Amino acid sequence: MIITVTLNPALDKTARVDVVRANALNRLRDVTLDAGGKGVNVSALIRSLGGESIAVGFWGGGAGKELQSLIAKRGLKSDFVRIAAVTRTNLKVVADDGGLTEFNEPGPRIDPDEWRELEEKLSGYGIKGNTVVLSGSLPAGLGQDTYKKLSVMLRRAGAAVFLDADGEALRYALESGPEGVPDYLKPNRYELLQYFGIPDDEGVTETKLADLCRALIGKGLKLVVLSLGEAGAIFANGNGIWRAPAVPVQVRSTVGAGDSMIGALAYGFEQGLPEERCFALAMAASAGTCTTEGTNPPLRALVDTLLTQVRIEKIAG
Ligand SMILES: Nc1ncnc2c1ncn2[C@@H]1O[C@H](COP(=O)(O)OP(=O)(O)OP(=O)(O)O)[C@@H](O)[C@H]1O
Ligand SMILES: [Mg+2]
């Protein structure tokens, strides 16, 4: 079973205006609500491929209740911990010229008892054969070592851990030693270079990026997938390094493309597909996500069509 964890989920409210005016009243129209959160996006992609997952996280108050019901409406299974504070609502305002203005709340504070409840829940899912996806920002009240602690606990229990984090949370998790370090990591270019403290300029060649991925494999990770937006992706594991150009698509929104990549990989591993097939599925699913509004996953039929266009090349043994 695949478990996705979203510690700081949000109720996403999207609305339209003709133009956004600062210091003035903006009358919103076409207000819609959706379940937001990186783990929820991963779960949605897995479902559209025909797989199953359980989304885990925190919910509180009326916004939390709404979030739960939207997750259920999308056909996703969830197992959230109820908290005293209220789930955040993030407002996305789209102007008629397509410009996007976002207002994101910091999210509720998690108290120690609520955290313990979540930890116990996850420890129940921490069994051999399960993959736990940890992704997204951390809520107030939880330390930057939260993903590290979860990774160590889950890996000791025999589960596989897929991490998508950045900054301090990533740094801690990668210092867990070979026993606690996550199995799978999907940084994007910015997150990888930030981790190594390398400025992002022309000096960063593909060879350099591949070397950095290899350095991460040296820390005990089983697979590093470096996503490079429209430049495609690099896959590195103990057997070699591969690169894949992005599948050309008509782009509507690239938000959540990385989450879809993770969902496709977790699904592919669970199905026992050969590694290059998993990489191809990740390229097709992430490109497909770029063709949909917001973070919506593509239909399986589109992923299958895009799969025929994926080109993966092994660049090192
Ligand atoms: N313009 C594009 N055309 C085709 N595929 C794309 C495009 N942009 C992204 N992708 C696909 O999506 C993958 C992930 O994209 P990206 O590197 O932007 O992830 P990310 O920054 O983690 O995104 P997010 O965190 O919003 O999910 C890429 O490796 C590529 O396969
Ligand atoms: Mg990302």
Side-chain angles (χ1 to χ4, degrees):
M1 178 57 78
I2 301 166
I3 320 302
T4 66
V5 181
T6 311
L7 298 177
N8 200 8
L11 188 60
D12 280 342
K13 183 182 277 192
T14 304
R16 291 193 163 268
V17 287
D18 47 358
V19 283
V20 175
R21 296 179 186 85
N23 308 311
L25 173 67
N26 290 271
R27 288 191 191 280
L28 303 175
R29 50 173 222 269
D30 305 334
V31 180
T32 56
L33 290 173
D34 201 0
K38 299 187 82 62
V40 176
N41 297 342
V42 174
S43 283
L45 187 278
I46 292 169
R47 175 172 158 83
S48 87
L49 292 183
E52 272 202 2
S53 71
I54 300 173
V56 170
F58 294 111
W59 75 276
K65 206 169 253 174
E66 183 71 38
L67 173 73
Q68 291 269 78
S69 95
L70 287 165
I71 289 175
K73 255 189 221 153
R74 289 174 78 168
L76 308 178
K77 288 192 184 150
S78 71
D79 186 6
F80 274 45
V81 170
R82 185 176 186 168
I83 56 173
V86 178
T87 296
R88 63 186 172 147
T89 299
N90 288 340
L91 176 63
K92 298 167 197 297
V93 181
V94 185
D96 285 346
D97 68 0
L100 175 69
T101 308
E102 295 184 82
F103 300 87
N104 280 8
E105 293 182 25
R109 173 169 285 272
I110 305 304
D111 77 31
D113 285 343
E114 293 163 346
W115 168 248
R116 262 190 296 279
E117 203 181 320
L118 185 115
E119 221 175 9
E120 272 164 30
K121 200 181 273 302
L122 281 182
S123 119
Y125 288 122
I127 52 172
K128 201 168 156 50
N130 279 0
T131 299
V132 182
V133 178
L134 306 173
S135 52
S137 64
L138 296 166
L142 300 186
Q144 293 297 325
D145 60 351
T146 297
Y147 285 143
K148 170 184 178 164
K149 287 197 278 193
L150 289 179
S151 182
V152 170
M153 172 185 87
L154 291 162
R155 294 214 57 240
R156 280 200 184 130
V161 172
F162 206 138
L163 180 68
D164 181 10
D166 66 353
E168 282 300 289
L170 172 62
R171 191 172 305 283
Y172 271 109
L174 291 179
E175 283 158 15
S176 310
E179 277 183 20
V181 90
D183 297 81
Y184 315 115
L185 187 73
K186 195 221 65 69
N188 60 23
R189 182 186 170 103
Y190 170 82
E191 291 156 353
L192 182 84
L193 293 176
Q194 186 197 46
Y195 173 74
F196 284 102
I198 297 173
D200 192 357
D201 55 33
E202 321 74 74
V204 183
T205 58
E206 188 184 286
T207 313
K208 174 78 185 166
L209 292 170
D211 286 345
L212 297 176
C213 292
R214 199 184 274 117
L216 288 180
I217 293 297
K219 284 184 174 288
L221 289 149
K222 291 199 185 71
L223 174 71
V224 174
V225 179
L226 170 63
S227 68
L228 299 166
E230 62 187 347
I234 291 174
F235 299 83
N237 66 18
N239 302 327
I241 299 182
W242 294 255
R243 74 166 313 280
V247 180
V249 287
Q250 189 126 38
V251 174
R252 257 208 204 99
S253 158
T254 62
V255 187
D259 304 332
S260 286
M261 197 163 219
I262 293 172
L265 290 165
Y267 170 81
F269 300 152
E270 187 173 62
Q271 296 290 307
L273 303 181
E275 62 187 7
E276 284 203 32
R277 190 72 190 156
C278 294
F279 303 163
L281 197 56
M283 296 311 296
S286 56
T289 300
C290 295
T291 69
T292 66
E293 286 296 343
T295 60
N296 288 335
L299 295 175
R300 172 85 215 203
L302 175 61
V303 177
D304 287 337
T305 306
L306 295 173
L307 262 174
T308 63
Q309 296 169 45
V310 176
R311 300 284 170 265
I312 295 180
E313 180 197 359
K314 194 165 188 180
I315 55 174

